Amino acid sequence: MARIQVGVLGPTIFRRDEDDVHLKPYTIKLLLRLVAAEGESVSAEDLYRDIWGEPVNGRITRANRTEVQKRIVELRKVLPGDHALRTEQLLARHGSESAYRLILDVEQLDWLEFADLVNRAAYAAPAMAAALLTKALGLWRGRPLSDIPDATFARRLSRRLTEQYTFAQRELIRAHLELGHPDLALPIAEHLSAERPDDPAAAKSLAAVRAALRERSGHVLLRREFSGLRVTLLIQHGDLFDQNDANLVVGFSDTFDTSTENDVVIANHSVQGQLLHRIYAGDRGELDRQLKNALRGVERLAREERQDKLRGKLIRYPIGTVVPLPLPGRRIFALAYSRQSNDLVARSTPADLRRGLDSLWASAAVHGLHRPVAIPIIGSGLARVTELSREQLIIMIVDTFLAACRKRPTSPELRIVVRTEEQSKLRMDDVERFIETLGNDGRGPHA
């Protein structure tokens, strides 16, 4: 059976098997009159009056009915089967008269699909609502039923659809803001405000989006969209553990030590120490239990003797081991990129860090729930990679991430979080020059 699509959210489109069908002007008007009836039957007399106007002496003649029938025949030639355009009989003062009912489903008529998407979005969670509303607004091509702009019969449906269109824009703005994406909300809010310059609600919505952008950009040091990979890079100052919408990366040594007692094995102020106290509320037993469960399938590299390593854990795992720890809706990626020597000093090399980052992105692709990933300048703390500057560490993080994204979807956003006290020590111009050399696929000019 032929597949048809009728579009009335803008200039009328009629497609049959994905090919445009060009209908005569009066046939288009008759089609739109039936669309505006919303599945109700319309008598031949009403069709004539609504499309051609009131006849002479106010009486519908045989010739008038023939004119309607011609357009019905033309429509039947392009509509599939007899079920889409039905002929019915209505009781009239002088017997019965022919009437016609257009029956199209959601996939065949764009305004039905549009209304269905908007209605479903009203009860959906923000992420699903954003997807549904984006699809709905993508169907909108202009004023609905625009081929008959002054027709009385089109006003009710046109007004209702226009109201739904405005509602969909406002709801999509709200969803993007709830998801922390004011940049996606901005063009919609600007368009809505331009369409409704005298609407206080539209102006208020635009102001809220701009305020959210100002608040977010106040912490952003660098932002870059890589359209070829569909990922965003953010470098911002702030607190790693305030990134509540993202997976977090925490660097560990090869022994996955967790004790912060007296700052001997792990310093309380380190990222590992903050992980223990801020995510696990100081419950070291629970953190160790989760680490132990996640490490069960990992091959052990060695075991130290207590007489050689007086404090901390004894079992060593390979550099590059990544342990995804569960949090509601996201993950903590515990990454072993340094070696904890028996004198309790953690040491790492550029090769160790790169090996660890490659493993990190592979794990994030599998376990990261396609959420943003927030990472500190790993390798710049107590387990410092002394051969690399902070700027070089950032470049390695970005480079390995983009390389992983070219192989398979890893994360929609990499967020490198710089501690506020580190910001003054960071030469962002070096990082910016590197980022500017990259293409939209994340490759450098000599790749």
Side-chain angles (χ1 to χ4, degrees), residues 154-389:
R155 289 175 186 169
R156 183 180 66 178
L157 178 59
S158 179
R159 182 170 57 249
R160 190 169 81 247
L161 289 172
T162 301
E163 289 171 354
Q164 283 187 310
Y165 173 62
T166 300
F167 172 79
Q169 291 180 95
R170 288 175 174 159
E171 286 297 288
L172 183 54
I173 292 167
R174 182 183 62 81
H176 282 322
L177 289 177
E178 288 186 7
L179 293 167
H181 297 302
D183 53 318
L184 299 180
L186 181 61
I188 305 164
E190 289 177 332
H191 183 69
L192 179 60
S193 181
E195 284 185 327
R196 307 175 68 88
D198 299 323
D199 184 353
K204 183 178 180 181
S205 180
L206 178 57
V209 172
R210 286 173 172 167
L213 277 169
R214 284 194 298 272
E215 181 180 352
R216 190 179 76 169
S217 63
H219 300 284
V220 174
L221 304 175
L222 183 147
R223 180 185 183 88
R224 171 71 190 274
E225 305 285 345
F226 292 93
S227 57
L229 300 174
R230 296 184 179 180
V231 300
T232 301
L233 167 66
L234 283 175
I235 302 176
Q236 64 185 60
H237 69 84
D239 188 333
L240 178 72
F241 293 94
D242 283 343
Q243 313 305 309
N244 297 318
D245 64 330
N247 299 317
L248 305 183
V249 178
V250 177
F252 277 80
S253 69
D254 60 342
T255 53
F256 287 94
D257 275 302
T258 57
S259 174
T260 60
E261 184 179 0
N262 298 323
D263 291 335
V264 174
V265 181
I266 300 296
N268 278 280
H269 69 272
S270 68
V271 178
Q272 296 120 296
Q274 292 184 68
L275 170 69
L276 172 62
H277 296 292
R278 296 180 60 180
I279 300 296
Y280 290 89
D283 189 346
R284 183 183 164 201
E286 175 60 17
L287 175 56
D288 282 340
R289 185 186 67 79
Q290 289 195 15
L291 286 169
K292 183 178 180 180
N293 286 341
L295 287 165
R296 276 208 174 100
V298 179
E299 183 179 358
R300 298 179 179 186
L301 196 62
R303 180 185 178 90
E304 297 291 341
E305 298 296 331
R306 179 56 71 192
Q307 63 190 31
D308 298 323
K309 189 171 186 283
L310 300 180
R311 292 176 178 268
K313 298 179 181 178
L314 301 175
I315 298 173
R316 296 190 181 279
Y317 294 90
I319 295 294
T321 299
V322 181
V323 176
L325 304 175
L327 289 179
R330 58 192 184 122
R331 298 290 182 266
I332 301 284
F333 289 100
L335 165 63
Y337 74 96
S338 64
R339 185 177 188 278
Q340 176 88 298
S341 61
N342 290 347
D343 60 2
L344 302 183
V345 176
R347 298 177 176 86
S348 186
T349 68
D352 289 339
L353 179 58
R354 182 171 289 275
R355 184 182 304 115
L357 289 170
D358 288 340
S359 298
L360 168 65
W361 307 132
S363 182
V366 176
H367 303 290
L369 308 174
H370 205 59
R371 301 295 299 272
V373 174
I375 184 172
I377 307 179
I378 200 161
S380 65
L382 294 176
R384 186 169 180 80
V385 182
T386 56
E387 296 94 327
L388 299 178
S389 66

